[in-house]
């Protein structure tokens, strides 16, 4: 396999201590996503939304990559060495892939460690807390900074690049995804339509499990390194 498209979800970061969203004990079972993850919720109570994402940003900075993240970094380097390509698309907004060594990561739902100014529409790398008083480092406006994450009702990022990479893939692999969030949940069907083999590496069956040709159940820290070794060793 020369070109592999990997889609990762919250399950790959769960073993690093970062909570999931759609599990029975996930964030959206405990918090109202309409208040915390929509443009309307932010407009109604920006202090509440900033507090929620400030806590998540601190948690992400304190977390460490796990063996699954490290394995995908090895896969990227190994495929590149033989003239291939790993297209790593993640629904996660943490930076654990990058800190594990992955060089090219497409964050379709945005990045927690970036902030965006709604006044000048400029993105900024941001590791600290945000408040309604935070001025934009580019235009100086206060009260316009928000987490650079994709909220409900907003368009995911990099969709054109994702579609192009999927059409060129020799294998589609989904890791730790719920199979419930679109358009990401539809990529397996898209891959099947292109005649691309599909594989799910997941702790438990996702909502779209029936669309995958093959599934391996287990912890990402175990299934992902095993899969990567198979690929790199030509198994």
């Amino acid at each position: 396999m020369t070109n592999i498209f990997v889609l990762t979800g919250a399950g790959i970061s769960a073993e690093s201590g970062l909570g999931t969203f759609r599990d029975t004990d996930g964030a959206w079972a405990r918090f109202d996503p309409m208040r915390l993850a929509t443009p309307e919720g932010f407009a109604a109570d920006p202090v509440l939304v900033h507090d929620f994402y400030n806590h998540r940003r601190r948690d992400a900075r304190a977390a460490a990559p796990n063996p699954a993240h490290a394995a995908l970094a090895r896969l990227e380097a190994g495929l590149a060495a033989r003239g291939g390509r790993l297209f790593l698309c993640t629904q996660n907004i943490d930076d654990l892939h990058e800190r594990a060594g992955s060089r090219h990561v497409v964050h379709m739902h945005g990045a927690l460690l970036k902030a965006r100014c709604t006044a000048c529409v400029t993105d900024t790398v941001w590791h600290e807390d945000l408040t309604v008083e935070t001025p934009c480092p580019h235009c100086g406006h206060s009260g316009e900074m928000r987490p650079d994450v994709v909220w409900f009702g907003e368009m995911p990022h990099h969709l054109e690049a994702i579609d192009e990479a999927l059409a060129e893939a020799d294998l589609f692999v989904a890791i730790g995804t719920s199979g419930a969030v679109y358009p990401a949940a539809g990529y397996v069907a898209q891959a099947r339509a292109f005649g691309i083999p599909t594989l799910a590496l997941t702790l438990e069956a996702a909502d779209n499990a029936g669309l995958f040709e093959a599934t391996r159940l287990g912890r990402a820290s175990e299934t992902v390194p095993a899969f990567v070794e198979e690929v790199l060793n030509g198994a």
Side-chain angles (χ1 to χ4, degrees), residues 133-148:
E133 289 84 24
T134 301
C136 172
H138 299 279
C139 70
H141 280 86
S142 297
E144 302 289 346
M145 297 289 280
R146 56 161 281 185
D148 188 22

Side-chain angles (χ1 to χ4, degrees), residues 159 162-164 166-167 183 185-196 198:
L159 293 182
I162 291 169
D163 285 341
E164 291 176 358
L166 187 54
Y187 289 154
V188 59
Q190 195 171 330
R192 293 289 297 272
F194 289 140
I196 300 167
T198 57

Side-chain angles (χ1 to χ4, degrees), residues 13 17 34 42 46 59 63 66 77 81 88 105 109 119 124 130 156 176-177 183 208 211 218 230:
S13 294
M34 295 302 102
F42 184 62
D59 288 345
N66 65 57
L88 179 53
V105 185
H109 290 165
T124 305
L130 281 171
T177 65
N208 60 354
L211 296 175
E230 290 175 14

Side-chain angles (χ1 to χ4, degrees), residues 60-114:
R61 292 181 61 196
N66 65 57
H69 296 104
L72 290 176
R74 292 197 303 274
L75 180 61
E76 180 185 53
L79 289 176
R82 60 183 68 173
R85 179 193 186 196
L86 172 66
F87 188 89
L88 179 53
C89 175
T90 186
Q91 296 171 273
N92 299 337
I93 58 177
D94 61 63
D95 67 337
L96 295 181
H97 282 305
E98 288 89 344
R99 284 198 274 141
S102 291
R103 300 182 56 140
H104 304 288
V105 185
V106 174
H107 286 268
M108 67 180 299
H109 290 165
L112 189 58
L113 298 184
K114 285 186 178 180

